[in-house]
Amino acid sequence: MRLRLWSFALPALLIVVLFLIVPYLNIVLMSFRNPSPTAIYAPGFTIQNYVRVLTDSLYLGLLKDTLLYALATTSICLAVGFPVAFHLARTDSRWRGLLYAGVLSPLLTGVVIRCFGWIVLLANNGLINQLLGLAGLGPYRLMYNPIGVTIALVHVFLPFMILPIMNAIQSVDPRLGEAARTLGASGPRAFVRVLLPLSMPGIQSGVILVFVLSASAYIIPMLLGGGQVSTMPTVVVQQLMGGLLWPFGATLALVLSLSVLVLVALFGVLNRRVMRGVA
Amino acid sequence: MTAVQGVDLDVAEGEFVSLLGPSGCGKTTTLRCVAGLEEPSGGRILFGERDVTRLPSEHRMIGMVFQSYALFPHMTVRENIGFGLEMRGVRGGDADKRIAQVLDTVQLNGLEERYPRALSGGQQQRVALARAVVAEPQLLLLDEPLANLDAKLRDEMRFFIRSLQQRLGITTLYVTHDQSESMIMSDRIVVMFGGRIHQIGDPEDIYNRPASAEVANFIGQANMLKGKVVEARDGVATIEAAWGRFTCGTSRPVAAGSVVTAMVRPEALRLANGADRSDFTGRIVARHFLGNVFDYRIALADGTVISVQAMGGNAPPAEGQVSVKIDQEKAWLLQ
């Protein structure tokens, strides 16, 4: 019986192995290969690629920048998204459906289109600067710099923060907050001691999703960075497409992946204490 | 929308008062206003001399037990109970002592480190009670706390809550839709329908001297007897009905000749074979054995069918004509 149930998962397993695990192993393999000026890689294996990434301050700085973008995006998404998620979870307004659609709207168009939308808004002669101009301000440089990239990252990944948190809050009995109030907790204290820990599973999912997605974002930093902003993904693509340096590109990609993985694991461990008894 | 109107209620210190009514009658809204979880659009709420109408919940020094218990799922039993103490600045050894004491009171020793989901419904209920009373609130509010328990446990908990309340001497407001629950537990009962108070009184008052037909019907079974007032004085009215004449108690002046309805409980009627000095006669339509009593349906002369619960006694009548006698002090004139 157990074997037969297993067999249902086989097609999915096959796809995962074929299209996810094999390519990943290939990247791992590639990262240990020798570079070649004429081919994808030269014969033999080396750890030189890793030594270069981990000792060159250029690449370490790049890694730091990328993770900082991800961290900033995640923090802003959490700060902006939590109130929205809370409202959506608890409101009985008849506009709820519309609000929900609004939250999902960033997912309804392709990321490239959305980036061009932001370019229209943020450009030196864009809508926002024109409006500021009317008030006698600016123009401010809002894109082709970290500001523009962060704005677009937040916009695109915000739903991934809101939706899991909303789900978590929906499963928290509103009576719990009231019980805390009757027991002498002020509103903020009831929030910190009751609602926040109980929405932690949603916050954890949202934080991980947004962090991972924004650390690996390519199109947004490319389009809104306009070549002025470099992150690990943009440099990886440069290595592969421009320099044809596949082994080094693979190494950069893996270093980013592993760093993100380590941070996510660390976050999980830190969270375990808070999550105790929850879910 | 107004859920509750004209609720004027005075609860004495140490008193156990039930808010009783069908769902949607505003009893829970009233309780939530007292708890500070809802703000009334008008009126005032006083604790002693102190106006708390606009005072946030956390400053009211209350303890509340919710129907769903609302235990914090991410905290152990000890942490749940200690929460209110911590919020009120009681910490360390003093808090530990009080938690141990209250655990003793609700008989939950040994379960301190359990999480709520690892407890049975009855245990969760007792944790919720312990959590509500541990900080010695000046007012205990209970919102249908027994509704989610099975019948046997519910019976036990009624007595448990009542004795706990008496031992602590804590003023208590108890919301329920279960009339027997409110009768067993309360010093006084407030009967509510449609957002209004219909009657306030002790259980005997409510049962024997209901203010309205709604109250009479909600609290147990009642026979409604229509008739014309013959005379009324000294709190006793004589009523002439199509099938006979009877007397009942009344608290209001009624004019002779007015058409009224009186209420009499099924167990306040007595049956006898044949026709002795009885008030009137009727015909047995049906008889059911309920264990402790027989439940009779008896058709009166004008076709009115009344319910009578009578002890078996010797040779309880099974069919045919019977005479029916009304206990005068148990029949009551309705408004």
Side-chain angles (χ1 to χ4, degrees), chain A residues 63-119:
Chain A
L63 179 64
K64 191 191 80 188
D65 284 354
T66 308
L67 295 176
L68 281 178
Y69 274 116
L71 192 68
T73 306
T74 309
S75 313
I76 297 171
C77 279
L78 181 58
V80 174
F82 193 96
V84 178
F86 180 77
H87 183 73
L88 268 174
R90 288 286 154 85
T91 184
D92 45 10
S93 148
R94 59 202 168 106
W95 303 111
R96 190 174 184 278
L98 204 67
L99 287 171
Y100 195 72
V103 168
L104 289 178
S105 66
L107 302 175
L108 298 179
T109 48
V111 67
V112 178
I113 311 283
R114 274 173 282 159
C115 284
F116 280 117
W118 278 112
I119 289 174

Side-chain angles (χ1 to χ4, degrees), chain A residues 203-228:
Chain A
I203 292 176
Q204 188 172 26
S205 314
V207 163
I208 290 174
L209 272 174
V210 172
F211 188 78
V212 170
L213 286 170
S214 47
S216 59
Y218 165 68
I219 292 171
I220 295 164
M222 200 195 63
L223 288 180
L224 281 149
Q228 312 293 309

Side-chain angles (χ1 to χ4, degrees), chain A residues 34 192 235-236 246:
Chain A
N34 280 312
V192 170
V235 173
V236 168
W246 285 54

Side-chain angles (χ1 to χ4, degrees), chain B residues 6 21 41 65 82 95 104 116 118 127 138 142 160 178 182 186 197 204 213-214 253 294-295 307 315 322 332:
Chain B
S41 50
V65 176
D104 221 33
V127 175
Q138 53 176 331
L142 303 120
F160 182 79
D178 184 324
S182 64
S186 321
I197 292 181
E204 275 181 58
E214 277 138 305
F294 280 103
D295 180 63
S307 165
V322 283
W332 184 250

